[in-house]
Amino acid sequence: MEITSLFKKEIVSNGGKLMAKQRRFAYTSLTPILLYMGLFTLFPIVWAVVMSFFSYTPIREGSGFLGLGGANPFIGIDNYIELFTGTSKPAEVFRLAVKNTFLFTALVLPLNLIVTLPLAVILESIGERFKTLFRAIYFLPTISSSVALVIIWSYMYAPGWGMLSLMFKAVGLVPPKSWLQDPNTVYFGIPLAMLCVVVAHVWQDFGYNLVIFVAALQSIPKTLREAARVDGANTWQEFWLVVVPLLSRTVLLTSVLTVISSLQVFVIFQLLTRGGPKNQTQTMLLSIYENAFKFANNLGLSAAMSMILFIIILILTVTQFRILRTEWEY
């Protein structure tokens, strides 16, 4: 009995030492990550929220914490009121940028899904020998440098001698005078420059959703599709009545990711159009950048713009989850 009791105590003691080692390992591993997240993620978010309530610019020396107060006074929600109702040029341009950003997102989302879902089905139907090759080809633009891709598209859209202009001339059509800087060319109420940026962005971005859809298609049990064929379903009926409903959760994921990324596109607008012509491609992120660093150095107003963008993303994400969510699994 004494030996058994000593053995139990030894087990409890070793177990306690093991738990202590595991806790120390967890603390040691998580502390650097938490410090990094707090310094480079949480603090900038909190700082942006606080700064949006101040008339803050780094060229003025404030009297309070991190330059807040004094020459950078607290103004409450005046920045937000200015953005929604003000008559200053930054406020008017920002309201136009909100409309342009929504238009861009509304064009990118359906076009991306229309391209990626059928293409994923096609890729899954080809032989195993070429499947990996085509996946790599279609995913290559996604992992390539955005600046390099913009340079390629700038040559594509070059007026007169660009590839698109030459293709138009080859089939007897008259190309636009300028693909990216003609403010008067509008199709169905959408400026030509905006359409050009949409095409370039979808070409760069669709590979990401394509990989997600391919993975989702592989997870669908083959027995379900075989049962549909036994019941007499043709290829279209199998796709529309079996595959698409089973991909509803994947469609939700890709829709949310596409909307979030579309609302935050910056590089392609900055390098292709710089918001032109006549602010037809001005976006919210461009307005935030220009007011913060390029023109006015008004970081307080830019912080308010950032908070509005954050709220828009949050509302759209929650709305998508509520509309597209499903209550079943397979």
Side-chain angles (χ1 to χ4, degrees), residues 60-267:
R60 295 196 301 259
E61 183 177 355
S63 60
F65 177 70
L66 294 178
L68 297 177
N72 296 314
F74 175 80
I75 58 174
I77 61 173
D78 285 356
N79 282 328
Y80 296 93
I81 295 175
E82 174 64 22
L83 291 175
F84 282 108
T85 62
T87 58
S88 64
K89 184 176 180 180
E92 293 179 348
V93 172
F94 179 74
R95 289 194 291 270
L96 178 60
V98 173
K99 296 179 183 178
N100 291 337
T101 304
F102 276 112
L103 175 62
F104 176 77
T105 304
L107 293 173
V108 166
L109 177 59
L111 184 58
N112 192 305
L113 296 180
I114 289 172
V115 171
T116 52
L117 182 52
L119 188 57
V121 175
I122 294 173
L123 284 180
E124 279 303 293
S125 65
I126 64 177
E128 291 293 334
R129 179 180 300 180
F130 300 100
K131 190 177 293 185
T132 303
L133 174 63
F134 280 105
R135 288 179 189 169
I137 291 173
Y138 287 123
F139 192 68
L140 187 60
T142 304
I143 60 176
S144 300
S145 169
S146 297
V147 176
L149 296 179
V150 168
I151 293 174
I152 293 173
W153 278 100
S154 64
Y155 281 105
M156 294 278 288
Y157 290 134
W161 56 270
M163 183 177 292
L164 284 179
S165 295
L166 294 178
M167 290 173 60
F168 269 57
K169 293 176 182 178
V171 296
L173 298 176
V174 179
K177 294 180 180 180
S178 176
W179 292 90
L180 298 173
Q181 297 300 326
D182 184 2
N184 300 317
T185 305
V186 178
Y187 297 101
F188 304 103
I190 304 171
L192 175 61
M194 178 64 76
L195 291 174
C196 291
V197 177
V198 168
V199 171
H201 175 72
V202 171
W203 180 81
Q204 177 189 358
D205 190 60
F206 82 94
Y208 189 80
N209 285 349
L210 178 66
V211 171
I212 296 177
F213 277 124
V214 168
L217 287 170
Q218 291 176 342
S219 68
I220 296 177
K222 293 183 179 180
T223 54
L224 298 176
R225 304 177 70 168
E226 292 171 353
R229 295 193 197 103
V230 171
D231 289 339
N234 56 35
T235 304
W236 171 252
Q237 290 172 330
E238 177 189 335
F239 170 75
W240 189 251
L241 300 178
V242 178
V243 174
V244 172
L246 293 177
L247 291 177
S248 57
R249 293 195 173 192
T250 307
V251 171
L252 170 60
L253 173 63
T254 54
S255 298
V256 170
L257 294 178
T258 302
V259 168
I260 292 175
S261 65
S262 299
L263 291 171
Q264 300 181 85
V265 171
F266 173 76
V267 174

Side-chain angles (χ1 to χ4, degrees), residues 20-64:
K21 289 181 179 180
Q22 290 176 340
R23 285 194 295 268
R24 285 196 297 269
F25 174 78
Y27 294 148
T28 304
S29 302
L30 291 176
T31 299
I33 299 174
L34 292 176
L35 290 175
Y36 175 84
M37 294 293 291
L39 182 61
F40 294 103
T41 302
L42 182 60
F43 175 75
I45 293 174
V46 174
W47 175 241
V49 174
V50 173
M51 194 162 49
S52 68
F53 298 105
F54 286 80
S55 176
Y56 178 83
T57 176
I59 63 177
R60 295 196 301 259
E61 183 177 355
S63 60

